[in-house]
Amino acid sequence: MSDPMRSRAALRTAVVREVLQDALERRVEATGRQALDVLDTGGGSGNFAVPLARLGHRVTVVDPSPNALFALERRAAEAGVADRVQGVQGDAHGLFDVAERGGYDAVLCHGVLEYVDDPAEGVRNAVAALRPDGVLSLLAAGLGGAVLARALAGHFTEAKQALDDPNGRWGTGDPMPRRFTAGQLTALVEGAGLRVGAVHGVRVFADLVPGVLVDTEPGALDALLKLEAAAAELAAFHAVATQLHVLGETRGTDGA
């Protein structure tokens, strides 16, 4: 029987990990440097930072939570990559109080734009942290996935409210401050001076499938992962994804 926690983690991150790893491999080939400098804004306990450090990259994690940074330090030590992971307390608004402007080959901005006061400023700061040939990995909550989830749960009024609300919220009890469409995210990336290298829908089906099926049915996790990967690149499914991933590239960066 598969580990339910591993199943959930794989479904949440598989598509983004693959896209990001491919982008970094292209940067390694283009620069001739095996170790890249990566900035992970809002990186928390290191779900992406530690695996990237295992690949040999140097990762700086900026996060406002001391508890998350403590967990990051412990996780990096357990993985044997403490020398390649640095955690600093800060946020997207004051990013350059703790991070170097123009000093990174890649910047991760995952689960940040939903919470900042000005998403456009958050993206501009992330882009300003990039080197001239850098890449931006942007991951944010998708509007369509939330609307679909509320509707399938029978909460039709809340689903309609999310559609009508400028921030994509279904009501005062909604724990997510803001959601985005693919068009809104790509506009933010392009508005900050990057070109969009790729857009992917994340968790298109995963949040709609009963967990017991994924956790107990032989082969279900692998089959669902393959389905998610196949649907992620199709624009038709971006509108119903729980999360949206945009890969932004500087004008001098070779595309995929």
Side-chain angles (χ1 to χ4, degrees), residues 70-101:
F70 178 77
L72 168 70
E73 182 179 0
R74 183 176 66 247
R75 188 172 186 174
E78 291 172 350
V81 295
D83 59 329
R84 292 196 292 275
V85 176
Q86 177 188 15
V88 292
Q89 189 171 0
D91 57 32
H93 176 69
L95 184 61
F96 299 112
D97 293 337
V98 295
E100 180 183 354
R101 187 181 296 269

Side-chain angles (χ1 to χ4, degrees), residues 41-135:
T41 63
S45 61
N47 287 337
F48 281 86
V50 170
L52 290 177
R54 284 198 186 107
L55 295 175
H57 304 304
R58 296 177 292 268
V59 187
T60 299
V61 175
V62 176
D63 197 278
S65 168
N67 290 337
L69 293 174
F70 178 77
L72 168 70
E73 182 179 0
R74 183 176 66 247
R75 188 172 186 174
E78 291 172 350
V81 295
D83 59 329
R84 292 196 292 275
V85 176
Q86 177 188 15
V88 292
Q89 189 171 0
D91 57 32
H93 176 69
L95 184 61
F96 299 112
D97 293 337
V98 295
E100 180 183 354
R101 187 181 296 269
Y104 304 92
D105 299 289
V107 173
L108 279 59
C109 186
H110 295 174
V112 172
L113 296 188
E114 298 92 327
Y115 299 94
V116 298
D117 292 333
D118 186 347
E121 180 194 34
V123 176
R124 287 195 300 268
N125 283 348
V127 172
L130 287 171
R131 288 174 175 155
D133 55 356
V135 294

Side-chain angles (χ1 to χ4, degrees), residues 180-194:
F180 301 86
T181 64
Q184 289 171 332
L185 290 179
T186 56
L188 287 172
V189 170
E190 292 173 340
L194 299 188

Side-chain angles (χ1 to χ4, degrees), residues 144-155 208:
V147 172
L148 183 62
R150 300 314 291 175
L152 291 178
H155 303 301
L208 306 177

Side-chain angles (χ1 to χ4, degrees), residues 183-242:
Q184 289 171 332
L185 290 179
T186 56
L188 287 172
V189 170
E190 292 173 340
L194 299 188
R195 61 184 174 87
V196 175
V199 179
H200 291 83
V202 180
R203 289 158 58 193
V204 175
F205 305 104
D207 292 349
L208 306 177
V209 175
V212 65
L213 173 63
V214 177
D215 297 335
T216 61
E217 186 72 19
L221 174 61
D222 288 340
L224 183 53
L225 285 170
K226 290 177 182 177
L227 178 61
E228 289 279 354
E233 298 184 19
L234 301 177
F237 290 100
H238 296 167
V240 294
T242 299

Side-chain angles (χ1 to χ4, degrees), residues 19 77 122:
V19 174

